Amino acid sequence: MFASTKEKRAMATAEAKLQKPEFTNEPFVDFSKPENRTAMEAALKKVASEFGREYPMYINGEKVTTTEKIKSTNPSHPSQVVGVVQSASAEQARQAIESAHAYFHTWKKVPAEKRAEILFRAADIIRKRKFETSALICYEVGKSWAEADADTAETIDFLEYYGRQMLELAGPHKVVPYQNERNFMVYIPLGAGAAIPPWNFPAAIATGMTAAALVAGNTVVLKPSEESSVIAAKMVEILYEAGIPKQALQFVTGLGEVAGDAIVKHPKTRFVAFTGSKDVGLLISEAAGKRQPGQLWIKRAVLEMGGKDATVVDEEADVDAAVEGVAQAAFGYQGQKCSACSRAIVSEKVYDSFVQKLVERAKKVTVGPAEDPANYMGPVVSESAMKGILNYIEVGKKEGKLVLGGERAPGDGYFVKPTIIADVSPMARIAQEEIFGPVLAVIKAKDFDKALQIANDTEFGLTGAVYSKNKAKLEKAEEAFHVGNLYLNRKCTGAMVGAHPFGGFNMSGTDSKTGGKDYLLHFLQAKSISEKPMN
Ligand code: NAD
């Protein structure tokens, strides 16, 4: 008997799945090894020799440039131009989505295992260019060596993980048998959509969102952040090199409110994958919810937004471990992670010793140019980010007691000292609003229950950590701490693909759980098929 086309397809996917070893996270580079330090130094030199290069957009398979340009500068040394990108008009952004829409009917027919294979190839290419990728991240958005390497490793992880997830989802899925019918369900892609990432995980988030939508069989217009378009351009070049057709992935750079807005509102846009601030996420939610003339579907909006993440330190905690976890989560990458700890809520019985130890620990944090491995903290991403953070510090000085930092650090870059403001009231602005910089508010709580209540009392719900040796209290936190990613006796940053599916509640977003087994479903729709046998 001959196998049907469908059965052959299912066999090919099953075969591809068997051939792939199980997913494991990409190991981090050990920079204590001289050969790795030498490799990173060489990569920094090589990437610096390409400063000022111009990167085109790709629309309808063609390279496109514009008269208006955007210069992407190095926040450690703002006079250095890392690269120059194009500034798309709304019309060009619309052309990109129309072209992606037209190509959808070709791309969706490419078998899942072939699409997955392209992601695995892209992961291999990035592995080979690991140091260069990290060096560029270091220059364009001011990440330290270790933070840049983690971003690169996560990029590889997303590609490897989503490729495997697509192999799981491809092919017919069993349903409950019913009477004399042949019933099954398949997942099919949605159409052409937008990927609109932020700058703070410039390789990982941009590539992860884009690759997830592509491997599911959709076509994508990627509109990266203005702050990190050069890294995005490099990732797009790698995806093309790995085999993604240019019409399946259109690359548009420019202003969010011009190019991003035009893509979101276009009637042919089927979905929007956005990661960024609460305010822009809400704008997109509203714009995507409005039916445009000629629009045939309800747009799907996958929105991952900000946080005001808290670490609760119980009186029964290992205070030293809590101090270390809070210091790393508050000041790693200058506090510019959506998961960063921006509130430490500490039981009054250990409050004074916690604050004193934390200040001592944070005094050891070094700040300066990100390319110098002696610096734990680099610059914040831009002058406007720095101004916003310094404004919040002024507000904080009135709302609590400044116990560390509170000003710029020396240098021509956008350096801000690690800042700790103690005795902050739970409803103060610096305890409620996302600052996105190295500013920590420390809040005193009467007891554990009160601490949890304070932790939950914001509009966000992204990450949270609890330090306690009391099992019952940890269990209470499991149940009551309303965050998408809860960490017990460890820091609230550093989610790993596969191990910590990531996404938040409330104003932190739609809880899409990136790096989790359900993530690809956001880019698919299920079709039920039921066949009555012919007589
Ligand atoms: P942002 O909201 O300013 O920009 C994000 C993206 O949206 C950029 O590409 C920008 O160009 C685009 N954009 C801006 N206005 C737009 C519009 N009107 N229409 C369409 N697109 C538009 O955010 P950011 O400063 O790049 O990133 C920092 C924010 O991202 C923080 O709030 C942080 O917490 C959040 N973040 C969240 C997660 C998460 O997983 N929840 C991860 C990383 C960052």
Side-chain angles (χ1 to χ4, degrees):
M1 206 178 87
F2 295 104
S4 70
T5 318
K6 196 156 51 237
E7 281 157 348
K8 280 190 207 149
R9 284 258 41 78
M11 283 190 287
T13 334
E15 180 64 29
K17 221 158 64 180
L18 277 179
Q19 281 174 10
K20 224 49 213 164
E22 236 176 80
F23 171 82
T24 52
N25 293 111
E26 180 69 14
F28 295 134
V29 171
D30 178 355
F31 286 113
S32 70
K33 291 192 170 152
E35 64 269 29
N36 289 336
R37 283 203 303 276
T38 309
M40 187 65 184
E41 277 155 12
L44 283 162
K45 269 201 196 112
K46 180 167 188 286
V47 172
S49 74
E50 291 172 9
F51 277 175
R53 195 187 131 184
E54 189 171 326
Y55 297 82
M57 305 192 287
Y58 288 91
I59 299 175
N60 197 20
E62 306 285 336
K63 281 186 185 178
V64 174
T65 56
T66 54
T67 336
E68 285 275 306
K69 310 277 179 198
I70 297 175
K71 280 185 187 162
S72 183
T73 56
N74 176 357
S76 295
H77 308 285
S79 60
Q80 287 177 351
V81 177
V82 176
V84 177
V85 297
Q86 317 304 316
S87 186
S89 64
E91 186 46 38
Q92 285 168 320
R94 284 192 280 269
Q95 281 166 12
I97 200 79
E98 278 157 25
S99 166
H101 173 74
Y103 195 71
F104 170 60
H105 301 284
T106 306
W107 178 242
K108 72 176 182 187
K109 292 191 187 114
V110 174
E113 70 274 11
K114 296 256 180 307
R115 299 194 304 255
E117 201 47 54
I118 298 177
L119 266 55
F120 301 140
R121 257 200 309 274
D124 282 340
I125 298 172
I126 298 175
R127 242 181 233 113
K128 287 190 192 111
R129 295 182 203 156
K130 204 176 220 194
F131 290 100
E132 274 173 53
T133 306
S134 299
L136 182 58
I137 294 171
C138 182
Y139 284 131
E140 196 178 23
V141 298
K143 283 200 178 187
S144 67
W145 288 21
E147 294 285 353
D149 172 57
D151 200 324
T152 305
E154 193 177 8
T155 312
I156 294 170
D157 282 352
F158 278 138
L159 291 162
E160 293 282 358
Y161 186 84
Y162 293 146
R164 284 168 174 77
Q165 286 306 312
M166 193 58 225
L167 296 178
E168 295 292 333
L169 290 167
H173 291 260
K174 277 191 188 153
V175 290
V176 172
Y178 183 71
Q179 294 181 355
N180 186 25
E181 292 177 351
R182 203 174 66 90
N183 296 336
F184 59 98
M185 203 185 78
V186 288
Y187 289 109
I188 62 168
L190 297 172
I196 305 182
W199 49 263
N200 70 329
F201 281 83
I205 298 184
T207 311
M209 297 198 315
T210 304
L214 283 168
V215 80
N218 304 282
T219 52
V220 176
V221 180
L222 167 61
K223 205 305 285 173
S225 163
E226 299 85 317
E227 311 286 1
S228 60
S229 296
V230 174
I231 296 160
K234 289 278 183 197
M235 294 299 110
V236 166
E237 284 173 5
I238 287 172
L239 287 167
Y240 290 159
E241 189 180 333
I244 297 282
K246 290 197 172 70
Q247 279 131 318
L249 170 57
Q250 317 255 341
F251 182 56
V252 168
T253 48
L255 302 180
E257 57 273 30
V258 178
D261 181 73
I263 303 164
V264 169
K265 290 182 178 158
H266 197 285
K268 295 279 188 282
T269 299
R270 176 64 182 84
F271 64 90
V272 180
F274 165 85
T275 307
S277 62
K278 177 195 79 180
D279 290 347
V280 175
L282 289 177
L283 270 181
I284 290 180
S285 173
E286 216 172 298
K290 188 171 180 332
R291 185 183 183 184
Q292 301 293 333
Q295 183 180 319
L296 293 181
W297 41 68
I298 299 168
K299 287 178 192 169
R300 207 178 272 181
V302 182
L303 309 168
E304 293 311 311
M305 292 141 57
K308 191 70 199 172
D309 312 307
T311 299
V312 168
V313 184
D314 175 42
E315 63 208 40
E316 295 179 79
D318 174 342
V319 173
D320 293 330
V323 163
E324 188 54 34
V326 167
Q328 289 183 18
F331 305 124
Y333 191 35
Q334 299 79 267
Q336 301 173 116
K337 297 182 190 178
C338 53
S339 55
C341 173
S342 56
R343 295 180 296 154
I345 305 168
V346 187
S347 172
E348 61 183 15
K349 292 213 177 87
V350 289
Y351 184 85
D352 290 340
S353 88
F354 174 86
V355 173
Q356 189 220 329
K357 285 178 172 188
L358 182 68
V359 169
E360 288 313 310
R361 168 65 181 82
K363 276 183 187 162
K364 295 192 188 122
V365 170
T366 44
V367 189
E371 74 276 7
D372 179 350
N375 294 320
Y376 180 78
M377 268 176 49
V380 297
V381 77
S382 64
E383 187 173 13
S384 68
M386 182 179 70
K387 284 186 177 154
I389 294 163
L390 292 172
N391 272 340
Y392 267 116
I393 290 175
E394 289 314 307
V395 171
K397 283 178 184 167
K398 295 190 195 97
E399 290 182 326
K401 185 173 153 209
L402 180 75
V403 289
L404 189 75
E407 57 187 2
R408 290 186 69 167
D412 58 340
Y414 308 125
F415 305 115
V416 179
K417 288 185 179 170
T419 297
I420 302 174
I421 301 172
D423 304 345
V424 176
S425 107
M427 298 316 281
R429 279 186 64 199
I430 63 156
Q432 291 290 322
E433 297 172 21
E434 187 183 47
I435 300 173
F436 223 55
V439 182
L440 177 76
V442 190
I443 301 167
K444 191 187 284 185
K446 202 166 91 25
D447 54 29
F448 185 71
D449 286 353
K450 186 67 190 164
L452 272 187
Q453 190 195 326
I454 294 169
N456 279 334
D457 206 0
T458 75
E459 61 182 348
F460 296 105
L462 190 46
T463 75
V466 175
Y467 283 86
S468 178
K469 289 180 187 161
N470 183 321
K471 195 79 194 135
K473 285 178 177 166
L474 295 179
E475 276 171 15
K476 188 177 252 183
E478 275 178 34
E479 201 255 316
F481 200 165
H482 195 60
V483 288
N485 285 71
L486 176 63
Y487 300 100
L488 305 176
N489 288 318
R490 55 148 288 181
K491 66 183 165 114
C492 63
T493 52
M496 299 297 291
V497 170
H500 312 122
F502 192 82
F505 302 153
N506 295 348
M507 284 297 150
S508 290
T510 49
D511 192 38
S512 66
K513 289 291 184 268
T514 57
K517 69 178 176 49
D518 303 329
Y519 186 63
L520 289 193
L521 293 177
H522 297 291
F523 305 103
L524 291 162
Q525 53 197 341
K527 182 170 179 178
S528 268
I529 298 170
S530 180
E531 182 184 344
K532 194 122 198 140
M534 288 180 283
N535 291 322

